[in-house]
Amino acid sequence: MIQHFRYKPMFKNTQLPGWTFTFLYQGQPINGVYHKTGDIEWTNPIVFHNTEEEEKIKKQLHELMLYHVYD
C-alpha cells in the first residue's frame, strides 16, 4: 500500500504537464516522475519482488494522480 503520497509540478508553468512524486511503500521511500503520457519513471533504485507487484503500485499511482491532478 502506498503511504504518505506527495506530488508537485515539475515546471513553474503549470500548463506544462509533468509531476514529481514521493511516497513510502513498505517503509521504503520511492521517488519518480509522472509524465503527461502516464508513463512512470522511477528516480531511485527500487527492488520490487516481481513485475506483478510493480504493476500493482503503478495502478495505484495512476489512480492517485487522476484523483489529485486531473479531477
Side-chain angles (χ1 to χ4, degrees), residues 7-11 13-20 33-37 65 69-70:
Y7 73 97
K8 65 180 181 177
M10 290 177 60
F11 308 103
N13 178 352
T14 58
Q15 293 185 0
L16 293 173
W19 301 267
T20 59
V33 175
Y34 190 89
H35 296 279
K36 67 179 181 178
T37 60
M65 291 302 290
V69 174
Y70 293 110

Side-chain angles (χ1 to χ4, degrees), residues 18-60:
W19 301 267
T20 59
F21 61 84
T22 63
F23 61 87
L24 291 178
Y25 178 68
Q26 296 181 345
Q28 176 184 4
I30 309 276
N31 305 311
V33 175
Y34 190 89
H35 296 279
K36 67 179 181 178
T37 60
D39 291 335
I40 296 170
E41 177 184 343
W42 307 115
T43 56
N44 62 331
I46 302 167
V47 179
F48 291 111
H49 298 294
N50 54 48
T51 55
E52 185 178 297
E53 180 183 26
E54 182 177 6
E55 290 304 314
K56 181 179 109 178
I57 296 303
K58 284 183 175 181
K59 182 179 179 203
Q60 290 177 14

